[in-house]
Amino acid sequence: MPLAHPIKYGFLSLLAVLGMVAIVNAPPDTASGLLASRMLELHLVLELFAIVIATLVVVVSWHTFERRQDRSANALLAGFVVVIGCDLMHALTYEGMPPLLTESSTPQAIFFWLMGRSFEVLTLGAVTAGLAPRWPRTVLLGIGLLVAVATIAFGSFALDRFPVTFVPGVGVTPFKAGYEYVLVGLNGLLALVLWQRAKSEQSRQHALLALSCLFMGLGGFAFAAYVAPSDFQNVVGHLYKVVAYALLYRATFITSIRAPFEALRVSEARVRESQARMHTLGANLPNAVLYQVVLEPDGHRRFTEVSDSVERVCGVTVAEVLADPIAMYGGIHPDDVAILAAAEQRCAETLQVFDCEARFCRPDGSVRRMHLVSAPRALDGGGIVWDGLLTDVTDRTEAQEARRRLEQQLGEVQKMESIGTLASGIAHDFNNVLAAILGNAHMAREDLKGGNPADVALSLDQIIKASDRARALVDRILSFSRRDTARRQVQPLLPVVRESLSLLRSTLPAGVQLLEHIDDPEASAEIDRTQFEQVLLNLCTNAWHALGDKGGLIEVRLGTVVLGAAASFPLGLLPGRHVRLSVQDNGCGMDEPVRQRIFEPFFTTKPVGKGTGLGLSVVHGIVRSHDGAIGVHSQPGQGTRFDIFIPAPPGAVASVPAPGAAVQPAAESGHGERVLLIEDDLLMSSMLKKLLARQGYRVSHHSDPEQAMAAVRANPQAFDIVVTDYNMPQHSGLDVITAIRRMRPGLPTILVSGYVNDELRARAVAQGARHVLEKTRVLDELVKLLGDTLRPAADQAVEV
């Protein structure tokens, strides 16, 4: 315990010194009439007080449980057992007491007195020096008893071997007086050492021990000056001894019993405070619940702790949860019970952190999404306990979903902006294609009239080439603008880059030069092709605008780099191999304030009407969704470079052909199979009838879906397959397929549409269509699909 009020100890020390001065200088016969007649009884009472206090010191030392006090307690236990034995023999051998082992005498009583004081000094010296061994207390108690018995035996039967200490009528001998002075000196020295330690360590125990040594030492002056045992100095000196013992007991009790209990009380108060703080914390968590759940070896669960916030978050009370875990587990959405159970089982088997999301059905009927995370611990009995936190993340999940939808919408808006930017170049390319088709068609007709079949064939070849070019251009536009779900796959980037640049070159003005540098033709990454094309077109368009009216240079570079920790960490990437796509221009560049904001939605430096400010924001979102990063390097007047880093997959990657580039195997001709063709466009239907008839199929055409469905209704077995357009008046192709399959469930169907996306494919599969085909592909693929569908294995899986 800390030292408090050191002045008090100094005042008590001064009183002790002044009192001893008065005692030593008082006449020996002071109060002789009272003391002489009752000296035996008075001496016995004082010694019994001292013995009782010494016994308490031993008892307290025996029960000390403060580990830091082990050495002091061990020394006091062993030493004061001897002191008790010596003090008891001193009281019982005092002159006038009945014989015990031998006749009582003053020299015998003085011997036991000196031995008791000697062991007291040695014990406190050992306490001060910390010399007591860490032996079992039973051993130390036994050693103390053996020493006490040996001392008692010597004083009772071999006292003649001890120097003379008292001469009747003369008083104490010089030996006895000198012995007392030596004890006085030793006690004084211990008092100084202990007081210095008390001040340095702020120890109340050492201060009390120092005061005890002081009183014991001062008492020695009284015991060196008396002539008769009943002298005033001898009697009052015993009072100093009792006070010294009391101070020693106080020091022992405070450090061994009271201090630990006070520390325990403080610890309990801190525990209660901590529990109250945790209770308040758990109760005040706005959307979270602290809990502790135990899984018994028999599979039974029970909650041992649940914060009060469970009622606010989950709609059940703490008492309900503690009484029956079903109050919590019963609220799990039925569709999520299996997921939660599987996660819990994995956690129980591996003792890894439990982290899972599940829907929770509140008693009021609302459904909330909960995130549970907890740390498992194995119990001795084979059970497992989880300390966890349940958080209501419904609002956060809904906000993230709303943000995702908004980002998707922003991406679509930016796509439209990019298409608007590319419109003039696309129109230019399309006009060239149409001019080539129309021109060659007119020349073919003229050559046909003139009887020049070779020239007609040449013109028709040119028409086919121009049409293929138009189809490829439409494919690129549709691929870029479609709203399909992102589909990432590992593929080479060179075809993606070149196709995007091909589309872009049609748009760039004559003053802008577009160069490509391919450092690694085999560079591959896991990407969504459409999104990656959008990234490249956005960056190149942004570079084109940065060049201004004077034009300039745009360089696109594709390669593979290995990023170390120093280069990857600032970008938020892991070290390793990455694909790098760079777009650099020599335009106006950017200053630092602008560069810091370029990825913010709707931030733009362009004039009103020249851009929405979404391009770079969309680029940033797409790159981050691909686990990549963007680096920007720009200086005013020195141009800008965007570096896109995408993690490169391990190993080689097979080439993935561009859309529409696959080579189809030769189609098998038909054998008179009956085809129901539903197409409202007369030019398209005329071409398809002619194509299928040439391939050996019998075609029945209807431009009106109602008439087609009526034909099937009249004779469901009249057709072997149905080919229907999707976009028609009154009924869509999916409506037609649904109606026909109700009339004849096994009739195979093929849906043809000018625009095919993921949603249409999914709906067609749900309605039972065998194939979904883009109109631009019918000439190449329809005949093959008919053959594949009408083969004997007509029950093959649906292809999309």
Side-chain angles (χ1 to χ4, degrees):
M1 296 183 64
L3 178 62
H5 311 296
I7 297 177
K8 178 180 67 176
Y9 293 97
F11 180 71
L12 290 176
S13 300
L14 179 62
L15 286 180
V17 172
L18 293 177
M20 183 51 62
V21 171
I23 291 170
V24 171
N25 291 319
D29 57 354
T30 301
S32 59
L34 178 64
L35 297 178
S37 60
R38 295 179 172 81
M39 183 60 192
L40 190 63
E41 296 85 351
L42 184 59
H43 179 266
L44 183 62
V45 169
L46 291 174
E47 285 297 335
L48 286 177
F49 266 115
I51 292 169
V52 169
I53 295 174
T55 303
L56 290 175
V57 170
V58 171
V59 172
V60 169
S61 300
W62 176 269
H63 291 287
T64 295
F65 55 84
E66 174 60 51
R67 301 298 301 172
R68 292 176 298 176
Q69 300 297 327
D70 270 355
R71 288 187 177 274
S72 298
N74 289 347
L76 290 171
L77 175 64
F80 264 74
V81 167
V82 182
V83 172
I84 291 171
C86 293
D87 284 350
L88 182 61
M89 291 302 297
H90 170 70
L92 295 178
T93 57
Y94 194 79
E95 188 172 358
M97 292 292 292
L100 183 61
L101 298 178
T102 59
E103 291 292 332
S104 300
S105 66
T106 299
Q108 194 176 27
I110 290 176
F111 169 78
F112 288 116
W113 169 268
L114 293 177
M115 292 302 101
R117 302 294 68 70
S118 299
F119 280 105
E120 177 267 337
V121 170
L122 292 174
T123 300
L124 290 181
V127 170
T128 304
L131 296 179
R134 294 185 182 273
W135 295 343
R137 290 180 181 174
T138 52
V139 173
L140 292 171
L141 180 62
I143 293 175
L145 289 173
L146 288 176
V147 173
V149 169
T151 304
I152 292 171
F154 182 88
S156 299
F157 304 107
L159 187 62
D160 55 345
R161 298 182 181 182
F162 194 76
V164 177
T165 56
F166 181 80
V167 177
V170 178
V172 297
T173 65
F175 171 78
K176 199 272 186 183
Y179 203 116
E180 291 285 1
Y181 290 138
V182 170
L183 293 176
V184 168
L186 292 175
N187 277 295
L189 179 62
L190 289 176
L192 290 175
V193 173
L194 289 168
W195 180 249
Q196 290 296 325
R197 188 173 297 177
K199 290 194 299 181
S200 63
E201 299 179 6
Q202 288 295 296
S203 170
R204 188 178 178 187
Q205 178 202 17
H206 289 124
L208 290 171
L209 289 176
L211 202 59
S212 174
C213 291
L214 177 66
F215 270 84
M216 187 61 70
L218 290 174
F221 288 106
F223 300 126
Y226 67 88
V227 175
S230 60
D231 285 350
F232 178 74
Q233 287 79 6
N234 186 29
V235 174
V236 179
H238 279 76
L239 292 176
Y240 268 71
K241 170 188 173 183
V242 172
V243 172
Y245 277 23
L247 290 170
L248 175 62
Y249 168 73
R250 179 69 172 169
T252 306
F253 179 81
I254 287 176
T255 56
S256 300
I257 305 297
R258 179 178 171 183
F261 273 109
E262 288 184 355
L264 181 61
R265 186 166 58 250
V266 171
S267 177
E268 290 176 346
R270 290 176 179 172
V271 169
R272 288 193 295 270
E273 180 183 353
S274 177
Q275 290 176 337
R277 186 163 56 248
M278 291 298 296
H279 179 81
T280 303
L281 173 63
N284 289 342
L285 287 173
N287 296 308
V289 179
L290 294 172
Y291 67 87
Q292 186 178 78
V293 62
V294 176
L295 178 64
E296 302 288 359
D298 59 2
H300 177 70
R301 300 185 187 90
R302 58 184 176 87
F303 283 89
T304 56
E305 291 290 340
V306 183
S307 63
D308 290 348
S309 57
V310 69
E311 185 169 1
R312 181 173 63 254
V313 176
C314 301
V316 293
T317 64
V318 173
E320 292 172 341
V321 176
L322 294 178
D324 187 359
I326 295 299
M328 283 289 288
Y329 284 96
I332 303 299
H333 194 281
D335 294 342
D336 295 342
V337 170
I339 298 174
L340 194 67
E344 185 181 85
Q345 183 177 357
R346 287 194 303 271
C347 180
E349 292 173 353
T350 62
L351 290 182
Q352 294 180 347
V353 173
F354 177 86
D355 194 334
C356 185
E357 281 194 10
R359 288 166 291 177
F360 188 89
C361 302
R362 288 170 50 94
D364 59 8
S366 62
V367 178
R368 309 291 293 179
R369 178 167 288 276
M370 303 295 183
H371 179 214
L372 298 94
V373 59
S374 58
R377 293 180 285 116
L379 300 177
D380 293 337
I384 297 174
V385 59
W386 282 276
D387 305 307
L389 178 67
L390 176 148
T391 307
D392 187 337
V393 295
T394 307
D395 296 338
R396 185 178 69 190
T397 303
E398 292 177 350
Q400 290 174 344
E401 180 61 22
R403 178 178 178 180
R404 186 194 63 78
R405 290 195 299 267
L406 178 59
E407 289 178 347
Q408 185 176 6
Q409 292 170 3
L410 291 177
E412 297 301 327
V413 170
Q414 206 282 324
K415 281 185 182 180
M416 296 304 103
E417 178 186 342
S418 298
I419 290 177
T421 302
L422 301 173
S424 60
I426 295 170
H428 177 269
D429 267 12
F430 235 104
N431 285 333
N432 289 341
V433 170
L434 291 176
I437 292 174
L438 290 173
N440 280 287
H442 283 293
M443 287 188 292
R445 185 171 59 183
E446 294 297 326
D447 290 336
L448 187 60
K449 291 178 181 179
N452 299 316
D455 292 336
V456 173
L458 181 60
S459 295
L460 291 177
D461 287 340
Q462 294 299 320
I463 290 173
I464 292 173
K465 290 181 180 178
S467 298
D468 286 339
R469 183 179 173 191
R471 181 173 65 181
L473 182 59
V474 171
D475 283 343
R476 289 201 299 268
I477 296 171
L478 291 178
S479 175
F480 178 71
S481 62
R482 71 174 71 246
R483 291 171 175 258
D484 289 354
T485 304
R487 291 177 294 180
R488 292 170 56 178
Q489 60 179 333
V490 178
Q491 56 188 294
L493 300 186
L494 182 57
V496 183
V497 171
R498 286 187 169 164
E499 185 172 334
S500 300
L501 296 184
S502 174
L503 182 62
L504 188 67
R505 284 193 176 95
S506 304
T507 306
L508 296 176
V512 176
Q513 185 179 7
L514 180 61
L515 300 179
E516 68 175 54
H517 302 280
I518 308 301
D519 298 328
D520 183 6
E522 303 299 325
S524 302
E526 184 181 1
I527 63 167
D528 176 83
R529 184 186 184 99
T530 301
Q531 289 187 340
F532 203 76
E533 287 176 346
Q534 184 178 358
V535 167
L536 185 53
L537 288 175
N538 284 2
L539 291 178
C540 290
T541 303
N542 196 71
W544 163 25
H545 292 162
L547 296 176
D549 297 335
K550 64 182 179 60
L553 178 64
I554 301 175
E555 296 182 84
V556 177
R557 184 177 296 274
L558 175 66
T560 305
V561 296
V562 177
L563 298 179
S568 62
F569 287 168
L571 293 169
L573 299 173
L574 294 175
R577 189 166 164 266
H578 292 74
V579 173
R580 178 174 62 188
L581 176 68
S582 300
V583 177
Q584 183 172 0
D585 65 73
N586 58 353
C588 59
M590 297 177 287
D591 57 19
E592 186 61 22
V594 172
R595 195 187 70 80
Q596 292 290 339
R597 300 186 59 191
I598 56 175
F599 295 120
E600 295 179 10
F602 304 109
F603 174 76
T604 179
T605 58
K606 301 172 185 177
V608 177
K610 295 296 185 180
T612 60
L614 294 174
L616 291 178
S617 175
V618 170
V619 167
H620 184 269
I622 292 175
V623 172
R624 295 306 297 176
S625 71
H626 283 69
D627 302 321
I630 304 178
V632 184
H633 306 274
S634 184
Q635 291 291 334
Q638 299 181 18
T640 301
R641 188 181 82 247
F642 287 90
D643 293 321
I644 296 176
F645 298 92
I646 304 292
V653 179
S655 176
V656 177
V663 178
Q664 300 293 339
E668 296 182 3
S669 298
H671 300 87
E673 291 89 345
R674 297 160 297 176
V675 179
L676 174 59
L677 176 63
I678 308 172
E679 172 61 66
D680 63 328
D681 187 289
L682 297 181
L683 291 176
M684 191 70 182
S685 62
S686 176
M687 186 270 293
L688 289 176
K689 286 192 296 182
K690 187 175 180 180
L691 171 67
L692 296 179
R694 283 185 177 182
Q695 295 296 325
Y697 294 98
R698 290 181 291 169
V699 182
S700 176
H701 168 252
H702 291 279
S703 60
D704 185 353
E706 290 286 355
Q707 295 177 2
M709 290 186 287
V712 176
R713 190 179 301 110
N715 186 3
Q717 304 299 324
F719 306 102
D720 297 311
I721 193 167
V722 176
V723 178
T724 178
D725 186 21
Y726 171 69
N727 192 12
M728 297 181 295
Q730 298 180 353
H731 298 284
S732 73
L734 290 178
D735 296 335
V736 173
I737 291 174
T738 302
I740 289 177
R741 287 181 63 81
R742 279 201 295 265
M743 291 182 277
R744 184 180 166 187
L747 184 61
T749 56
I750 296 176
L751 181 67
V752 180
S753 176
Y755 177 64
V756 177
N757 58 15
D758 286 347
E759 180 183 0
L760 180 60
R761 289 189 180 94
R763 291 172 58 196
V765 170
Q767 298 299 328
R770 286 290 181 87
H771 302 281
V772 179
L773 181 62
E774 288 186 359
K775 279 191 175 182
T776 56
R777 307 291 175 197
V778 292
L779 189 63
D780 300 329
E781 301 179 12
L782 180 58
V783 174
K784 179 181 181 303
L785 291 181
L786 286 173
D788 292 342
T789 308
L790 293 171
R791 284 185 310 218
D795 57 344
Q796 60 185 309
V798 174
E799 299 178 18
V800 294

